[in-house]
Amino acid sequence: MGDVLYNSSGLPTFTLTGLPGLENSQHWMFLLLGTLYIVSIVGNGLILFIVKEEQSLHQPMYYFLSLLSVNDLGVSFSTLPTVLATFCFHLRTISFDSCMAQMFFIHFFSLMESGVLLVMSFDRYVAICNPLHYTTMLTDSRVVYMGLWAIIRSFCMVFPLPFLLKRLLFCKANVLSHAYCLHPDLIHLPCGDITINSIFGLIIVMFTFGLDSALILFSYVLILRSVLAIASREERLNTLNTCVSHLCAVFIFYVPKIAVCMTARFGRHAPRLVYTVMSLIFLFVPPMLNPVIYSIKTKQIRWRLGRMLV
């Protein structure tokens, strides 16, 4: 397997990889990923700017959208340093502490995005099922509390992960499957018992992604029941149209995430390229597409963008 490299602190270092089997195309891969980074950073930055400047967007739905954009920027900036180093400068070594820090932020923002999508589904539920109580139920203070809940829950879930890994002995060749550090990848490297790490990781998935997706589905069952009670077909379509952006955001976030989890836990005999590509889709596609979707579907954002481009 090869010897493990250790730094002066006695902690192991890790070797990052690009796309297995495509080592000769790494520069082209960085051009693709660089384009996705630019679209994500510029798009989410524009969403934040427009929501701040456009008075008509100062309402709960767009406050949550702003939080989603901040989260997507966090995901992009968490992976950017090592992706740039791996694909562009061929610097593949990362220290233990740097790897733990990157792992923390990637998973922190991933869990936080799940929480933000959940509170956004609650916003859509209240707006459609209880429109007369919307302003009284979703006050500015409650919006802040819901945002803080998503942040604090994510932090509490991810905070133990680096410490649970640090207690283990790494004695294998510490080659990672990606150009960044992910917990499901790291727990396969130690020689010791990883039962606690594996169980804790499963608990995180169940009580965040699993629970959130079930609650989002339940909220849309209630929304659909309320919409079907509307007499006019045109009104039903107009009401459902207000949910399209959120449904697209949910779809592009959870489908790749489920695929990554299934591949990591049950697809060990699948080519490593499959797991790597699924992780790339999970981390790169939602931050890029979310601002595009909301820009297309939100009239005020489209109008403001049009004024800025003229």
Side-chain angles (χ1 to χ4, degrees):
M1 294 291 292
D3 296 330
V4 179
L5 297 176
Y6 288 84
N7 55 29
S8 57
S9 64
L11 296 173
T13 58
F14 300 99
T15 302
L16 303 167
T17 60
L19 288 176
L22 299 177
E23 286 77 8
N24 296 328
S25 304
Q26 303 289 37
H27 287 295
W28 292 107
M29 192 64 197
F30 179 73
L31 287 176
L32 172 61
L33 297 180
T35 302
L36 298 183
Y37 275 124
I38 291 171
V39 173
S40 173
I41 294 170
V42 173
N44 285 292
L46 283 173
I47 292 289
L48 291 173
F49 175 78
I50 291 171
V51 172
K52 176 181 178 295
E53 295 296 319
E54 191 64 38
Q55 193 67 32
S56 63
L57 299 180
H58 291 181
Q59 49 184 296
M61 176 181 176
Y62 299 105
Y63 293 149
F64 292 136
L65 175 59
S66 298
L67 186 57
L68 183 66
S69 292
V70 170
N71 186 87
D72 286 340
L73 286 172
V75 172
S76 296
F77 284 120
S78 295
T79 59
L80 179 59
T82 52
V83 168
L84 180 66
T86 302
F87 286 102
C88 195
F89 300 109
H90 303 289
L91 301 175
R92 301 183 181 278
T93 302
I94 184 171
S95 68
F96 183 89
D97 289 335
S98 297
C99 191
M100 292 302 103
Q102 184 182 51
M103 179 197 71
F104 172 85
F105 284 111
I106 289 176
H107 289 291
F108 169 77
F109 287 115
S110 296
L111 293 181
M112 182 176 156
E113 181 149 354
S114 181
V116 173
L117 290 173
L118 175 59
V119 298
M120 291 177 81
S121 73
F122 179 73
D123 169 87
R124 291 299 82 207
Y125 164 76
V126 175
I128 294 172
C129 300
N130 295 284
L132 297 179
H133 298 93
Y134 184 79
T135 55
T136 56
M137 292 182 68
L138 286 172
T139 60
D140 288 348
S141 60
R142 284 180 179 168
V143 169
V144 171
Y145 291 147
M146 292 166 74
L148 287 174
W149 166 81
I151 295 170
I152 293 171
R153 184 192 68 159
S154 180
F155 178 84
C156 292
M157 285 289 187
V158 179
F159 183 73
L161 293 181
F163 299 99
L164 288 174
L165 282 168
K166 194 170 184 178
R167 69 185 178 87
L168 297 172
L169 176 64
F170 290 81
C171 55
K172 301 177 183 178
N174 294 332
V175 180
L176 301 177
S177 301
H178 312 283
Y180 37 79
C181 299
L182 295 178
H183 183 259
D185 199 16
L186 286 163
I187 62 172
H188 292 121
L189 298 179
C191 297
D193 186 6
I194 61 168
T195 302
I196 295 176
N197 301 69
S198 185
I199 291 175
F200 188 73
L202 184 60
I203 289 172
I204 291 176
V205 171
M206 290 175 59
F207 285 93
T208 52
F209 299 115
L211 181 61
D212 291 352
S213 59
L215 291 174
I216 291 171
L217 178 62
F218 179 66
S219 71
Y220 272 99
V221 170
L222 297 178
I223 288 171
L224 186 60
R225 188 179 68 173
S226 179
V227 168
L228 291 176
I230 300 174
S232 169
R233 180 174 180 274
E234 185 178 350
E235 288 183 19
R236 288 200 298 266
L237 292 175
N238 289 336
T239 303
L240 287 174
N241 191 49
T242 64
C243 300
V244 170
S245 298
H246 179 255
L247 280 172
C248 290
V250 169
F251 181 80
I252 63 175
F253 176 78
Y254 280 106
V255 170
K257 178 59 185 176
I258 292 170
V260 168
C261 291
M262 295 294 288
T263 305
R265 295 188 176 274
F266 306 110
R268 294 183 180 179
H269 299 296
R272 197 173 67 172
L273 180 61
V274 173
Y275 177 55
T276 304
V277 170
M278 293 308 304
S279 297
L280 284 172
I281 293 173
F282 170 64
L283 289 173
F284 284 84
V285 173
M288 179 198 68
L289 286 185
N290 283 337
V292 174
I293 292 169
Y294 277 94
S295 297
I296 293 172
K297 295 298 296 180
T298 307
K299 182 172 65 176
Q300 297 96 320
I301 295 178
R302 278 203 319 270
W303 176 78
R304 187 75 186 203
L305 279 173
R307 286 187 57 189
M308 292 171 64
L309 293 174
V310 172

